[in-house]
Amino acid sequence: QVQLVESGGGLVQAGGSLRLSCAASGIIFSINSMAWYRQAPGEQRELVARITHGGSTNYADSVKGRFAISRDSAKNTVYLQMNSLKPEDTAVYYCNADHLGRIYWGQGTQVTVSS
């Protein structure tokens, strides 16, 4: 079992920045990758960024150049630095872990960007 706890969401003005954190606990070795997804009201959940065990990253086109995913292996934590935020970034952001093919989700953290 893997437990994921997100933090760092909140209300920010357009152009501002936030950093989300996702702390993993439980059976955390052999996690293949971790990712951030988001879901806006009435929309499907979408991938924002992913980082693999080897450190490779990929991003949604809509956030490239503005968001950065990183990890601190010593703290078992993954971060999402979000800069130049836009109102369309408003969503609930979820942390995701792929552990031996099984997917785990955090409870989500709300990010609201005001115009």
Side-chain angles (χ1 to χ4, degrees):
Q1 292 285 338
V2 176
Q3 293 81 43
L4 304 172
V5 179
E6 302 105 331
S7 61
L11 173 63
V12 64
Q13 288 188 331
S17 299
L18 283 174
R19 188 177 80 156
L20 305 182
S21 300
C22 174
S25 61
I27 305 174
I28 57 175
F29 58 89
S30 298
I31 288 180
N32 298 326
S33 66
M34 293 187 71
W36 287 96
Y37 283 71
R38 66 186 181 187
Q39 187 168 20
E43 302 290 332
Q44 290 189 332
R45 193 171 296 189
E46 63 174 359
L47 174 67
V48 176
R50 174 177 281 114
I51 185 165
T52 69
H53 179 74
S56 298
T57 59
N58 65 285
Y59 297 90
D61 288 342
S62 59
V63 307
K64 282 181 181 177
R66 300 188 298 122
F67 290 11
I69 189 170
S70 62
R71 66 183 182 191
D72 183 334
S73 297
K75 296 182 179 180
N76 300 318
T77 300
V78 171
Y79 303 97
L80 184 68
Q81 179 66 43
M82 306 186 293
N83 299 324
S84 302
L85 282 161
K86 304 175 181 179
E88 51 262 44
D89 295 317
T90 295
V92 178
Y93 283 70
Y94 296 92
C95 182
N96 161 295
D98 177 352
H99 178 253
L100 300 178
R102 183 171 178 177
I103 303 301
Y104 295 86
W105 293 95
Q107 82 286 356
T109 186
Q110 176 71 45
V111 172
T112 303
V113 185
S114 63
S115 57

